[in-house]
Amino acid sequence: MEPSTQKLIHTFGALADLGQEIAGTGDFTEMVRTSMHLLLGTLALRRGAVIECSGPGPLRCVAIWGLADQSLSGFQIDDSEMESFRCGEITESLVKNTSSTNVFLTRHRDKLAHEGIELVVPMIVRGEVTGLVLLGGKASGEEFSNDDFETIRAMVRHIGVGIHTHRLLEQLAQRAEENRKLYDDLRAIYRDTVKAFAAAIDIKDKYTQGHSERVGKYSEIIAREMGWSEEEVEGIQIAGYLHDIGKLIVDRDIINAPYHIDAKNSSELNRHPNAGYEILAPIRHPYADIPLMAKHHHERLDGRGYPDGLTDEQIPMGAKIVSLADSFDAMTTDRPYRRRRSFEDVVVDLRENSGKQFDGKVVAAFARAILKEVKGDTKDRRIVKMLGKSYLEGEQVETLLTDLITDLEGDYSRQGAKAQSL
Ligand SMILES: [Fe+2]
């Protein structure tokens, strides 16, 4: 094989390797270093460097070989120098070409020659100078041939594209990060607004201070125990905070009546789920179904709830969760006409009403979450904190919860077996 053919094959091989290196997803600096070694190896050059231009100012050395690390410090490139690189021929880039009109070379000729640099090739991508490749002379002492210039042009172009792509990816990642921050800020603003609304609802009802916030937290705990995704859990927490937003349109005296209200006032109060839906439906919430959860939080599985008298499967699961959280908070907090109920009493109520008012699966999940806190299996004890430390302290609490869970879970497996045998 002729030496020129051999050289051609070698160059093709080097270009193929370079392509792979540039397309790889590995470390950027490593990619540039390897690319430069390939270039130096292909032409048997003694030294070289790849420097990156990102606007005016000092150039950043990305890879260096056969030169002292500090030897390229202090190089700057301004707009006129960039311009002279954009239009110059490669022979204009030879350091020893004293007739070259290249402004950068004219200014730095002595320093470049002193470091043994013979050729400065710009990496131009889409009309922009991305950086410069500085090359020393050939180890053989020969001059660069036209073939060498061709190889250099091709390989330098490859490296330039690699740097350019890397920059684009960096910009893209930066923008994605900015967008993510913006999105997080918007979500935080939304959550703060929701909390402000919850506080406004609770202030209107002087006997149930903090009710909406607690319903939000109980709902979140139940949903998480039921295996909902973090996104869904966040959504139901918001629904809990806002479930009574419709009360904002109900007369304050009816909400705060210190006794059981009459039928007329009761129907006025019962408007609040539909009113809540009307307030929430036009808003574009970042979570699904929040208006529906507010609308149906007073529905019952047996169809005796309101506003629509829906039955079991017609009620959205989120509304079932909020409904239980709402009732649980009502039972476990003092009201103007009664003291809160004992935990034992509450468990009796939950057991009796599972399948009628509440979904047994939801009750079982809540009971499991409470039991975990009682047994100390969880890091923070949020339910205990909301109920007050002494409320869940009795010896029988664990047994009550375990029995409730066993009974309710037994019910589903029986229901499941029945459904399968049908
Ligand atoms: Fe309500």
Side-chain angles (χ1 to χ4, degrees):
M1 195 186 297
E2 290 215 6
S4 59
T5 316
Q6 250 175 356
K7 202 174 162 196
L8 197 64
I9 290 170
H10 182 74
T11 307
F12 269 135
L15 278 170
D17 288 347
L18 201 56
Q20 270 186 10
E21 196 57 44
I22 284 157
T25 51
D27 177 48
F28 166 70
T29 314
E30 201 47 47
M31 176 280 280
V32 179
R33 268 194 208 129
T34 314
S35 305
M36 194 192 61
H37 289 173
L38 275 165
L39 175 57
L40 298 185
T42 304
L43 296 164
L45 306 181
R46 284 203 190 94
R47 55 186 70 89
V50 177
I51 49 186
E52 202 185 346
C53 306
S54 42
L59 301 170
R60 193 174 83 89
C61 188
V62 193
I64 191 160
W65 180 259
L67 290 158
D69 280 351
Q70 293 309 309
S71 56
L72 300 175
S73 64
F75 277 116
Q76 297 226 355
I77 189 161
D78 62 25
D79 285 348
S80 62
E81 292 165 352
M82 289 252 198
E83 196 51 44
S84 61
F85 273 120
R86 259 196 287 268
C87 37
E89 272 299 308
I90 197 159
T91 45
E92 291 277 318
S93 297
L94 280 165
V95 174
K96 65 177 179 191
N97 179 2
T98 47
S99 61
S100 168
T101 54
N102 186 299
V103 192
F104 178 82
L105 282 187
T106 313
R107 185 183 296 173
H108 298 291
R109 177 168 284 114
D110 291 346
K111 188 171 165 60
L112 291 166
H114 180 256
E115 298 298 341
I117 304 294
E118 293 194 7
L119 187 65
V120 179
V121 194
M123 292 181 280
I124 300 173
V125 182
R126 298 190 174 203
E128 291 290 316
V129 181
T130 351
L132 302 174
V133 174
L134 277 49
L135 299 173
K138 297 174 86 169
S140 61
E142 290 167 34
E143 297 285 314
F144 289 113
S145 66
N146 281 339
D147 283 352
D148 294 337
F149 283 137
E150 282 299 315
T151 308
I152 291 169
R153 268 197 211 102
M155 294 185 88
V156 166
R157 180 158 172 75
H158 264 66
I159 300 170
V161 168
I163 291 179
H164 184 74
T165 308
H166 171 77
R167 253 187 227 167
L168 287 181
L169 288 174
E170 262 188 349
Q171 281 169 5
L172 210 63
Q174 199 184 340
R175 270 192 210 140
E177 178 62 19
E178 280 165 10
N179 278 347
R180 196 189 58 76
K181 275 194 192 137
L182 201 65
Y183 181 66
D184 284 352
D185 285 352
L186 283 175
R187 269 171 108 117
I189 292 167
Y190 172 82
R191 272 197 294 268
D192 289 348
T193 312
V194 164
K195 280 185 186 165
F197 264 114
I201 301 159
D202 291 346
I203 281 169
K204 197 163 182 188
D205 186 343
K206 66 177 178 185
Y207 297 109
T208 57
Q209 295 269 309
H211 170 69
S212 300
E213 193 175 335
R214 287 191 300 274
V215 172
K217 288 178 179 167
Y218 287 136
S219 302
E220 174 205 333
I221 292 166
I222 300 168
R224 188 168 285 126
E225 180 62 38
M226 292 182 79
W228 283 29
S229 70
E230 270 315 298
E231 174 93 9
E232 291 169 327
V233 168
E234 263 187 66
I236 198 154
Q237 187 190 28
I238 302 287
Y241 276 128
L242 297 176
H243 75 285
D244 269 346
I245 197 168
K247 280 190 180 171
L248 288 175
I249 61 140
V250 176
D251 193 332
R252 186 184 284 264
D253 291 341
I254 297 173
I255 296 173
N256 286 318
Y259 41 77
H260 280 293
I261 47 178
D262 60 27
K264 183 169 163 271
N265 285 340
S266 174
S267 72
E268 173 66 16
L269 183 61
N270 291 358
R271 283 173 53 214
H272 80 272
N274 267 330
Y277 179 79
E278 276 162 35
I279 294 170
L280 296 172
I283 301 170
R284 278 193 292 157
H285 303 272
Y287 311 98
D289 294 344
I290 287 176
L292 279 179
M293 293 190 218
K295 183 177 184 177
H296 296 303
H297 76 274
H298 283 295
E299 301 286 0
R300 296 168 51 103
L301 263 65
D302 57 15
R304 291 171 53 221
Y306 62 95
D308 294 339
L310 301 182
T311 53
D312 192 357
E313 259 127 58
Q314 295 172 312
I315 308 170
M317 187 52 83
K320 288 177 174 176
I321 293 174
V322 176
S323 164
L324 175 65
D326 186 23
S327 299
F328 182 82
D329 188 62
M331 287 191 272
T332 55
T333 45
D334 292 336
R335 292 290 156 111
Y337 40 85
R338 58 151 177 80
R339 300 277 299 159
R340 71 169 168 177
R341 293 160 75 173
S342 71
F343 188 65
E344 194 174 359
D345 228 12
V346 171
V347 171
V348 169
D349 188 290
L350 295 179
R351 185 192 297 274
E352 261 183 29
N353 284 304
S354 288
K356 296 179 196 160
Q357 182 180 355
F358 309 120
D359 187 320
K361 288 190 288 298
V362 181
V363 176
F366 197 13
R368 284 198 305 273
I370 302 172
L371 184 62
K372 281 180 190 168
E373 285 203 14
V374 170
K375 288 166 86 176
D377 292 347
T378 48
K379 204 167 66 195
D380 36 39
R381 306 178 76 198
R382 301 171 66 200
I383 304 173
V384 172
K385 229 178 258 171
M386 282 188 273
L387 291 168
K389 225 175 165 195
S390 58
Y391 190 70
L392 291 170
E393 260 176 2
E395 276 173 30
Q396 77 289 12
V397 166
E398 261 191 59
T399 322
L400 283 171
L401 286 166
T402 314
D403 289 350
L404 179 64
I405 296 164
T406 313
D407 290 351
L408 290 173
E409 288 179 349
D411 280 353
Y412 322 134
S413 47
R414 273 192 297 281
Q415 276 168 16
K418 204 173 155 196
Q420 270 190 345
S421 68
L422 285 174

